Amino acid sequence: MLYKFKTSAKRSDLMRKIKSVKTTPEVLFQKALRKEGIRFKTNYRKLPGSPDIAITSKKVAVFIDGEFWHGYNWEEKRKKIKANRAYWIPKIEKNIVRDKNNSKELYKDGWKVVRFWQQQIIKDTPKCIKKIKMVVEK
């Protein structure tokens, strides 16, 4: 069942501009990985969840999750959603469940899964790169 609701043209335009690939944090992180000499594939569709970055030689899947869409601090944030609650709350909760299931599937297939929030990448890219290097070296 699709939930339909009316939105203003302005809101529609704003939502349409939100990208799912080649976001600023993704591009920033990819540049930092290249600088470290780590080879990877982007949006690797052969794996569950299409990881934003897949280091196939080491079986490492990296996801860079947007705070709103993937439910950062969800118990607190869900209370603050005012508009279209009947749509957004179930949608984000489904995203959270889907993310967990994709991670479990990848673990079962022998992949290491690393998840970052977008703000982690933006605020401290070197720390995130360090974490990836540690995972790759194991």
Side-chain angles (χ1 to χ4, degrees):
M1 178 176 98
L2 284 173
Y3 179 82
K4 292 186 179 186
F5 55 89
K6 293 182 181 181
T7 60
S8 69
K10 187 175 180 180
R11 170 59 65 191
S12 273
D13 287 341
L14 285 171
M15 295 304 280
R16 195 174 296 114
K17 289 178 183 177
I18 296 171
K19 300 186 295 184
S20 62
V21 294
K22 294 186 180 177
T23 62
T24 301
E26 285 179 28
V27 171
L28 183 68
F29 198 66
Q30 290 168 10
K31 285 180 180 179
L33 283 175
R34 278 190 206 98
K35 190 175 179 182
E36 292 294 326
I38 298 172
R39 297 177 59 89
F40 58 89
K41 296 181 185 212
T42 59
N43 305 303
Y44 197 55
R45 300 202 185 285
K46 293 181 181 179
L47 295 176
S50 299
D52 297 307
I53 294 168
I55 304 168
T56 54
S57 62
K58 300 291 185 174
K59 291 186 91 168
V60 176
V62 181
F63 293 90
I64 301 170
D65 296 332
E67 282 80 0
F68 178 75
W69 308 105
H70 296 271
Y72 175 77
N73 200 8
W74 182 239
E75 290 308 312
E76 185 180 317
K77 295 285 181 172
R78 80 187 306 264
K79 297 172 193 168
K80 294 181 181 181
I81 294 175
K82 300 294 181 212
N84 301 314
R85 288 177 62 86
Y87 174 78
W88 287 113
I89 290 174
K91 176 174 181 42
I92 293 168
E93 287 176 347
K94 279 189 254 176
N95 288 351
I96 292 167
V97 169
R98 187 192 65 226
D99 290 345
K100 286 179 184 174
N101 290 337
N102 287 335
S103 291
K104 284 179 190 174
E105 197 67 32
L106 286 163
Y107 283 125
K108 267 197 281 183
D109 293 340
W111 284 77
K112 298 170 195 155
V113 178
V114 182
R115 289 188 173 273
F116 294 111
W117 294 109
Q118 284 185 338
Q119 287 305 311
Q120 285 178 282
I121 302 292
I122 291 169
K123 290 179 181 173
D124 200 352
T125 305
K127 184 177 179 181
C128 298
I129 293 294
K130 186 176 180 180
K131 183 173 182 175
I132 293 298
K133 287 171 74 173
M134 285 174 35
V135 171
V136 166
E137 291 170 3
K138 284 185 182 177

